[in-house]
Amino acid sequence: MSLNSRQREKLAQFMSITGMQDVPAKKFLTSKNWDLELAVDEFYNSGAQVSRDQPAPTNQKKIDSLFTRYKSSTSAQIEGEGIENFCRDIGIEPMDVVILVISKYFNAATMGIYTKDEFCNGMKALGCDEISKLRQKIPDLRRELNNPQSFKEIYNYVFAFSRDQGVRNLGFETAIALWRLLLGEKYPLVNRWIGFLESRDKKHDISKDTWEMFLDFAIIVEREGLQGYDPSGAWPVLIDDFVEYLNS
Amino acid sequence: MQSAAKTIELEDGWQRIQEEGIDRIIDYLETSNLSNFSKKQYSELYTIVYNMCTQRPPKNYSSQLYDRYSCSIKDYIQNHIRPRIINKSDIGLLTEIQVCWKNQQIMMKWMKNFFQYLDRHHVNQNSLPNLTIRGLSIFYGEVVTQCKSKIISAFIHALELDRNGEHIDRDLLKNVTDIFMKVGTIHKPNDPADFYNFLESSVLESTRNFYEAKSRVWITEDSCPDYLLKVERCLIEEMSRADHCLHPSSGQKIRSVFLDVMINIHETTILEKETGIAYLLNHHKTDDMHRLYRLTSELANGLQPIAQAVTKYIKEQGQGIIKQKLAKIAIDKKESPEDPEFVNAFMNAQEKFKSLISECFQNNSIFQRALNSAFEELVNQKIGKHGFSEILACYADRLLKKSSERLRDEVIEEELKKLLELFEHLADKDVFAEIYKNQLSKRLLNDTSASEDAEKSFISKMKMCCGASYTCKFEGMIMDLHLAQELDQAFKESRPDLPIDFSVQVLTNSHWPYYKNHNVILPVCFSDCIHVFNRYYAANTQHRVLTWTNCLGIVTLTGYFDQGQYDFICSTYQACVLYLFNDKSTYTYTEIKQVMNFDDETCKGVMKTFVFSKNKILEKTGEERKINETDSFSIRSNFKTNQKKVKLPLPSKEENYSREKVSEDRNLAIEAAVVRIMKSRKTIAHSNLVAEVAGMLSVFKPQVRDIKSRIENLISRDYIERDNEDANIYHYKA
């Protein structure tokens, strides 16, 4: 079966989103009548991401030695400089979103610090014991940001990861930076959201609930426009105020 | 029976019946002269029938006699009744029908007597209609069905004549109605009234048409009160007409049709006339409004538009009072929450509206609601700087505290009752409570309450309205005061040797308003007494913590001046400052502040009362109308006044209440309600939770936004969580 140009384009998109080979990818697309969105949904619902469930076997010693390479000279964990080196070695900027995905694999509790347990268990979960392997895996990790389900997990994880220690809420400035980083491209609404937050007199820290509900809100508005927002729903007050601000 | 032996032939028997019975009845009916049937004649005829019916077949003539009975009746109708009515119409027809019906009844009565035996056996055995029904159905078939429509139109014509004032014989119409009802058993044995419905529906239709025409004319020509007057008069006439001419069941139907045509259809027009409801309300046309109520109260939604007009009227009147107040504020520039005139105006208005509703609208619940909703709107708006809660609380304070223009107890009771009626409409009763508590505290502690009975009576009224939790603190305060007096008495008896006359009021902290306590330095004679009391209290109670609220103390102090000695009644702080001047005649501001451990605000407040009030005890250096930190103060040794006792003004009062405190209390109340609901429900949808919280809080009306932010707060404190799938559903986290 030969493909027309539009189908070829969709196939290429599908492969880049899912990381699949062209034959099985074509199967997904034809089963959904070449509807790219449905096919991607189907792909994620089918749990086709085998690699995530079963990480490749790793060599514990190799991982340990990697940890020592990046470990801070003054403490028993990887800190600022170590993380910068780590990023450089795997070929990403320290401000790249994908570092959040890696941190999630590490299950890191606090930004800017990887403990030994976090680093070692995380590398094992990623199935990588060499820097080159991790570097190869980056595109896969980046794709996880496209999957709504795993993106939501990462997004929610980021909240606890990024807040200052011993504080319940996320600092105002940090929250804004993270929203830009995580949602800025996907949801243009975020820019107006940030504008709204910055226009307010009181710049409160952001609660977990507001953080999590804002993603739902952004998704709904992206899909249905502001009509998708139900004013009698259980939206946090800050989001209610935002809608009022948009309408005025 | 002897005659039984002799068989009677059909024709022989029938000839006797015809001649001796039937012909005689007809003769009587036509000529009205009757030699009554004697018992003998009657029993002879009966016996003939009996015999003919009991002879053995084929000489048993039951069936033939039954047929001949029917034929005779039919013959009678055809020969004697039909001709009488055939060319008649209108009243003539009705009159004839009435006579014919009467004759038919007589005819049938006698016939039935003769042929009785048929009913007993022949009819029963063969399941035939009995003689009466048979006779009636012949009448129905031969007469009624033939001229039903003629009778109905004659009937309606007669009614119309009656409506137009030409008196007609109403009994005649009633009789025709009866005929319709009786014949109805033939028309539909299961539903005898159905036949009457032909007549009734025509009557209803003609009633509708007649009054439709009338109302069209009147509604344009007449004013609202005139129209209503005419309608009511017509209604009374129409009801009496129905009562006299129609079956009792028709009365209500006529009434509905009439009211529908005259009132329901035109209600908006009536109410919106220049002389309509607004006019009636504004000009207190009580009779007219009551009439309007009488005429509309039976209609399905007849009262609603009137109630709306009443709500609007009450709101306008109320707004008028508020406008006057606002105008006064604009002129005076000074705005006090104390404005008895304004409250009085409002209370009088409320009284007026209540009597309006009872006089004109029989206290119907729709109008009660109208009154309530209007007042809820009026009473819950801000008037200038102050809310109604504040204004009402100040009015209560004014009534309850001692004053020179003291009212009689009954008047106060009456006023408080009226006040409470306004209070009931408040949406922010918590604000009222907060202010009331502060004022009650002031009255009790400064001994300015005029009567404890009045206080208690007002508290119990609030309790009736808002429940015990609303008033428990107030009750606690009054109770506290009694206990404090007892304790003070006991203390004094145990220690008669104190250097000064020293009284203590020990109160329960949680019942009373919060007073900011400065850690001021007291003169030794004060602090000694405090120590003595502390020891006494500790010895007599267990696990009690005593804190001294010095800012509420009252001291009587004697001052010796060049011109004589004076007693000063003042606050503890004022006394402490004055006391300092025993040691030294001049102090700088900073010295006083330091020695007393005052903050600036308190220090300035206290010093002002000495140098700026009517009785200037101290004189100061520096700027004249302001206290600066560089000033110094000294005793005015030539102080003089003609009173022996001088009451010093207290440092200026703070706000009546703290808004922050109220909103804090509200947040707590909302959170408590949310937790209580979540605890019992475990899982609940957002909108239900919000509705239930709003329903649970009676003392104030929480905004949805406030409820939401409390829910968010509880989420972040891990009391509740959102459902994973549906963010609109909450779960309680135990």
Side-chain angles (χ1 to χ4, degrees):
Chain A
M1 171 171 89
S2 63
L3 302 178
N4 63 31
S5 63
R6 278 190 52 210
Q7 287 171 332
R8 265 197 301 280
E9 193 183 312
K10 278 182 179 168
L11 182 64
Q13 275 180 348
F14 185 78
M15 280 160 59
S16 85
I17 291 170
T18 61
M20 259 187 174
Q21 299 302 312
D22 60 347
V23 177
K26 216 185 284 173
K27 231 181 241 167
F28 268 105
L29 279 165
T30 42
S31 80
K32 289 293 163 204
N33 231 353
W34 291 90
D35 183 320
L36 186 62
E37 217 164 290
L38 287 177
V40 173
D41 280 351
E42 177 66 20
F43 166 76
Y44 287 122
N45 289 337
S46 70
Q49 254 187 332
V50 190
S51 62
R52 227 222 288 189
D53 299 338
Q54 289 170 332
T58 48
N59 182 328
Q60 186 64 43
K61 271 193 188 147
K62 278 184 175 171
I63 294 178
D64 285 352
S65 73
L66 275 178
F67 177 75
T68 335
R69 192 198 303 177
Y70 296 112
K71 189 178 82 75
S72 153
S73 52
T74 54
S75 70
Q77 50 199 12
I78 301 176
E79 288 178 9
E81 201 182 329
I83 291 175
E84 272 177 37
N85 292 336
F86 175 68
C87 289
R88 192 189 57 231
D89 293 349
I90 57 176
I92 61 168
E93 293 288 315
M95 276 312 286
D96 192 321
V97 200
V98 86
I99 192 70
L100 294 173
V101 185
I102 296 172
S103 297
K104 166 120 198 313
Y105 271 95
F106 287 6
N107 208 9
T110 317
M111 202 185 247
I113 294 171
Y114 295 140
T115 66
K116 184 165 185 194
D117 281 353
E118 286 168 358
F119 184 83
C120 297
N121 293 338
M123 289 299 273
K124 211 193 281 178
L126 283 162
C128 302
D129 48 14
E130 286 168 26
I131 281 301
S132 60
K133 284 187 190 167
L134 184 54
R135 194 200 286 261
Q136 275 172 10
K137 212 174 164 69
I138 297 286
D140 285 346
L141 295 177
R142 224 179 268 290
R143 268 192 287 280
E144 282 193 31
L145 291 167
N146 291 329
N147 174 345
Q149 186 53 41
S150 61
F151 178 75
K152 189 172 185 167
E153 281 169 21
I154 294 162
Y155 175 87
N156 288 350
Y157 157 78
V158 162
F159 180 82
F161 170 69
S162 311
R163 66 186 161 179
D164 294 334
Q165 265 174 318
V167 183
R168 203 193 288 141
N169 293 334
L170 184 59
F172 183 78
E173 300 298 336
T174 320
I176 286 191
L178 285 168
W179 268 318
R180 277 219 177 88
L181 183 67
L182 284 162
L183 306 179
E185 277 179 33
K186 251 190 258 181
Y187 306 104
L189 180 76
V190 167
N191 294 321
R192 306 202 59 185
W193 168 247
I194 291 170
F196 158 72
L197 292 176
E198 284 178 336
S199 73
R200 285 160 59 91
D201 297 334
K202 286 185 187 165
K203 295 178 173 59
H204 290 297
D205 290 353
I206 301 301
S207 74
K208 183 165 185 281
D209 188 54
T210 306
W211 174 264
E212 292 181 355
M213 292 298 286
F214 182 73
L215 177 61
D216 288 357
F217 178 72
I219 291 170
I220 284 180
V221 174
E222 183 65 21
R223 195 174 56 213
E224 303 169 34
L226 270 182
Q227 290 95 310
Y229 159 86
D230 173 8
S232 65
W235 296 109
V237 175
L238 197 58
I239 292 179
D240 290 339
D241 290 350
F242 176 50
V243 173
E244 213 169 280
Y245 164 87
L246 288 179
N247 288 335
S248 70
Chain B
M1 245 178 247
Q2 302 139 322
S3 47
K6 202 169 118 201
T7 309
I8 306 173
E9 291 303 322
L10 175 64
E11 295 306 330
D12 293 348
W14 180 257
Q15 194 183 353
R16 281 195 66 192
I17 298 167
Q18 180 79 49
E19 283 168 7
E20 292 170 31
I22 300 171
D23 288 349
R24 280 186 68 188
I25 305 168
I26 294 174
D27 188 44
Y28 157 67
L29 291 174
E30 292 304 303
T31 61
S32 300
N33 62 47
L34 174 73
S35 43
N36 224 334
F37 282 104
S38 68
K39 264 209 174 101
K40 188 163 163 279
Q41 292 167 324
Y42 156 67
S43 69
E44 262 177 27
L45 286 174
Y46 175 85
T47 315
I48 292 170
V49 172
Y50 175 86
N51 286 339
M52 287 169 77
C53 293
T54 47
Q55 288 161 170
R56 286 177 178 286
K59 304 273 179 189
N60 185 308
Y61 300 118
S62 295
S63 158
Q64 286 84 343
L65 284 181
Y66 186 79
D67 291 345
R68 285 187 187 209
Y69 164 87
S70 308
C71 284
S72 304
I73 294 207
K74 199 178 265 176
D75 285 348
Y76 170 72
I77 290 172
Q78 266 167 7
N79 297 332
H80 300 281
I81 290 184
R82 293 281 295 275
R84 291 182 72 153
I85 56 174
I86 198 86
N87 288 320
K88 294 282 184 349
S89 64
D90 286 339
I91 300 287
L93 174 68
L94 297 178
T95 319
E96 283 303 327
I97 280 287
Q98 179 187 231
V99 173
C100 292
W101 172 256
K102 218 166 83 203
N103 289 350
Q104 166 82 2
Q105 296 301 306
I106 295 166
M107 169 88 185
M108 272 163 50
K109 186 183 120 208
W110 283 107
M111 293 286 276
K112 189 180 170 214
N113 286 342
F114 304 148
F115 291 92
Q116 239 177 83
Y117 192 75
L118 279 175
D119 259 354
R120 280 200 216 144
H121 278 276
H122 181 70
V123 164
N124 272 348
Q125 276 164 10
N126 298 296
S127 313
L128 295 166
N130 69 30
L131 296 177
T132 315
I133 294 177
R134 183 79 192 107
L136 208 55
S137 58
I138 294 166
F139 184 81
Y140 170 74
E142 296 293 319
V143 182
V144 181
T145 51
Q146 307 281 324
C147 47
K148 184 178 90 185
S149 48
K150 254 169 97 181
I151 298 172
I152 291 178
S153 61
F155 192 96
I156 283 164
H157 187 220
L159 277 183
E160 250 156 47
L161 290 177
D162 195 57
R163 278 191 191 114
N164 288 328
E166 287 180 36
H167 287 289
I168 53 138
D169 181 2
R170 288 181 169 183
D171 290 342
L172 175 64
L173 296 184
K174 185 77 172 176
N175 287 339
V176 174
T177 301
D178 284 345
I179 295 171
F180 269 75
M181 287 304 290
K182 293 234 170 70
V183 180
T185 52
I186 304 301
H187 175 70
K188 262 190 194 167
N190 298 329
D191 183 11
D194 187 59
F195 190 70
Y196 171 69
N197 289 347
F198 290 126
L199 176 63
E200 190 187 54
S201 61
S202 303
V203 170
L204 292 177
E205 199 194 318
S206 78
T207 309
R208 179 174 285 279
N209 293 338
F210 180 84
Y211 285 107
E212 235 162 32
K214 282 272 184 240
S215 72
R216 264 201 299 278
V217 179
W218 291 350
I219 196 80
T220 48
E221 284 176 354
D222 292 322
S223 70
C224 166
D226 286 349
Y227 183 82
L228 295 173
L229 207 64
K230 279 185 180 170
V231 168
E232 192 170 56
R233 217 161 39 215
C234 284
L235 177 63
I236 292 166
E237 279 170 20
E238 198 57 36
M239 291 321 289
S240 120
R241 194 167 291 125
D243 192 39
H244 283 106
C245 306
L246 297 166
H247 188 256
S249 69
S250 301
Q252 194 50 45
K253 292 179 195 164
I254 292 275
R255 199 181 173 87
S256 314
V257 165
F258 178 87
L259 288 174
D260 184 50
V261 171
M262 297 302 271
I263 302 287
N264 200 23
I265 292 175
H266 300 295
E267 184 164 4
T268 328
T269 323
I270 299 170
L271 295 180
E272 284 172 3
K273 267 177 177 290
E274 207 176 306
T275 49
I277 181 70
Y279 172 87
L280 299 182
L281 283 164
N282 282 317
H283 293 82
H284 315 295
K285 300 284 186 192
T286 348
D287 290 344
D288 293 317
M289 283 190 278
H290 194 208
R291 183 169 298 116
L292 177 64
Y293 173 80
R294 284 196 299 265
L295 292 172
T296 48
S297 58
E298 287 170 43
L299 300 171
N301 288 313
L303 295 178
Q304 246 76 27
I306 303 173
Q308 274 165 17
V310 170
T311 309
K312 191 171 156 232
Y313 166 72
I314 295 177
K315 278 189 203 160
E316 280 167 5
Q317 296 282 308
Q319 292 298 1
I321 301 174
I322 292 174
K323 238 179 232 153
Q324 277 177 13
K325 157 107 181 158
L326 290 173
K328 214 169 74 182
I329 294 173
I331 294 169
D332 288 359
K333 295 278 191 271
K334 223 171 59 191
E335 199 185 338
S336 155
E338 221 171 305
D339 190 347
E341 267 174 42
F342 173 67
V343 178
N344 269 323
F346 240 88
M347 294 198 307
N348 292 340
Q350 161 130 326
E351 285 300 298
K352 197 178 85 188
F353 300 139
K354 264 170 56 189
S355 68
L356 169 84
I357 280 167
S358 91
E359 272 171 46
C360 304
F361 306 113
Q362 294 185 344
N363 276 330
N364 185 302
S365 62
I366 295 176
F367 290 91
Q368 308 254 19
R369 275 202 296 278
L371 174 73
N372 289 343
S373 77
F375 265 88
E376 259 157 45
E377 195 184 302
L378 287 172
V379 150
N380 288 308
Q381 54 186 316
K382 251 199 147 51
I383 298 157
K385 235 177 19 199
H386 306 284
F388 244 96
S389 293
E390 211 169 340
I391 294 170
L392 292 185
C394 288
Y395 190 77
D397 185 48
R398 193 186 149 86
L399 289 175
L400 291 166
K401 86 181 157 199
K402 280 182 196 160
S403 73
S404 47
E405 38 177 330
R406 179 91 189 123
L407 299 161
R408 276 183 302 125
D409 286 352
E410 309 88 79
V411 180
I412 292 201
E413 181 70 18
E414 194 55 40
E415 292 282 292
L416 288 174
K417 228 168 88 189
K418 287 193 220 160
L419 179 69
L420 210 83
E421 278 169 15
L422 289 178
F423 163 84
E424 278 178 49
H425 301 302
L426 290 176
D428 53 354
K429 296 196 184 69
D430 53 344
V431 174
F432 182 92
E434 188 62 25
I435 302 169
Y436 176 81
K437 190 168 94 175
N438 290 338
Q439 288 170 334
L440 175 62
S441 158
K442 219 173 279 171
R443 288 198 296 275
L444 294 178
L445 296 177
N446 300 344
D447 196 27
T448 51
S449 174
S451 136
E452 191 178 316
D453 287 343
E455 295 281 3
K456 280 184 172 165
S457 139
F458 187 60
I459 291 172
S460 75
K461 284 194 186 79
M462 287 193 280
K463 194 175 183 173
M464 294 267 274
C465 172
C466 303
S469 62
Y470 188 76
T471 52
C472 66
K473 287 192 177 168
F474 311 150
E475 286 165 320
M477 284 159 82
I478 289 184
M479 179 65 102
D480 261 7
L481 218 61
H482 286 284
L483 297 175
Q485 264 164 14
E486 281 170 30
L487 184 73
D488 188 48
Q489 205 60 41
F491 169 66
K492 275 186 182 140
E493 276 160 24
S494 78
R495 290 298 301 254
D497 56 338
L498 285 167
I500 54 172
D501 185 8
F502 183 68
S503 292
V504 183
Q505 285 183 314
V506 178
L507 307 170
T508 314
N509 195 28
S510 59
H511 293 162
W512 296 76
Y514 170 75
Y515 290 102
K516 208 157 130 200
N517 221 348
H518 306 280
N519 204 8
V520 299
I521 303 202
L522 299 174
V524 183
C525 65
F526 289 1
S527 51
D528 279 354
C529 291
I530 287 179
H531 287 309
V532 172
F533 187 83
N534 277 345
R535 270 200 301 281
Y536 171 82
Y537 192 71
N540 286 288
T541 56
Q542 283 177 326
H543 311 300
R544 297 281 176 89
V545 179
L546 207 53
T547 31
W548 292 81
T549 308
N550 290 322
C551 62
L552 294 175
I554 296 169
V555 177
T556 308
L557 197 73
T558 312
Y560 300 90
F561 295 87
D562 297 351
Q563 307 278 339
Q565 75 179 70
Y566 301 99
D567 285 347
F568 297 105
I569 300 161
C570 56
S571 77
T572 307
Y573 290 176
Q574 287 168 324
C576 290
V577 172
L578 291 178
Y579 205 82
L580 292 176
F581 289 88
N582 280 336
D583 302 335
K584 213 166 86 168
S585 61
T586 306
Y587 282 89
T588 65
Y589 176 87
T590 336
E591 273 177 313
I592 291 173
K593 199 182 135 188
Q594 242 161 27
V595 176
M596 291 303 303
N597 196 21
F598 278 154
D599 56 27
D600 273 320
E601 188 194 341
T602 321
C603 193
K604 280 185 183 160
V606 171
M607 296 320 289
K608 266 184 202 165
T609 61
F610 298 132
V611 293
F612 295 149
S613 63
K614 198 176 77 187
N615 296 305
K616 297 182 180 61
I617 307 175
L618 303 180
E619 51 196 4
K620 76 174 195 74
T621 59
E623 234 177 300
E624 205 169 311
R625 294 188 174 274
K626 220 179 132 200
I627 290 181
N628 289 314
E629 299 186 4
T630 50
D631 295 350
S632 60
F633 300 85
S634 49
I635 288 280
R636 275 180 65 205
S637 50
N638 61 347
F639 174 80
K640 194 184 168 204
T641 169
N642 25 6
Q643 292 163 291
K644 274 275 117 193
K645 273 190 172 178
V646 181
K647 208 169 176 181
L648 292 185
L650 296 171
S652 62
K653 305 185 275 187
E654 294 154 29
E655 277 273 295
N656 267 325
Y657 73 108
S658 131
R659 277 161 225 272
E660 292 83 52
K661 170 124 192 347
V662 170
S663 87
E664 218 170 88
D665 287 349
R666 282 186 180 187
N667 286 345
L668 286 178
I670 297 173
E671 278 183 19
V674 171
V675 170
R676 201 149 16 125
I677 293 162
M678 291 307 296
K679 221 172 197 167
S680 68
R681 293 294 172 90
K682 305 289 183 224
T683 294
I684 191 170
H686 171 77
S687 52
N688 292 349
L689 179 59
V690 170
E692 281 194 32
V693 169
M696 199 180 263
L697 298 167
S698 58
V699 175
F700 65 98
K701 286 205 172 67
Q703 303 290 314
V704 174
R705 194 192 148 84
D706 293 336
I707 299 178
K708 280 179 86 168
S709 68
R710 289 348 286 167
I711 293 174
E712 274 177 54
N713 195 291
L714 288 166
I715 291 177
S716 68
R717 280 154 58 201
D718 280 340
Y719 280 94
I720 41 186
E721 62 183 1
R722 290 183 194 266
D723 187 85
N724 283 334
E725 301 291 318
D726 185 348
N728 282 318
I729 291 175
Y730 303 120
H731 299 289
Y732 182 62
K733 286 169 92 173

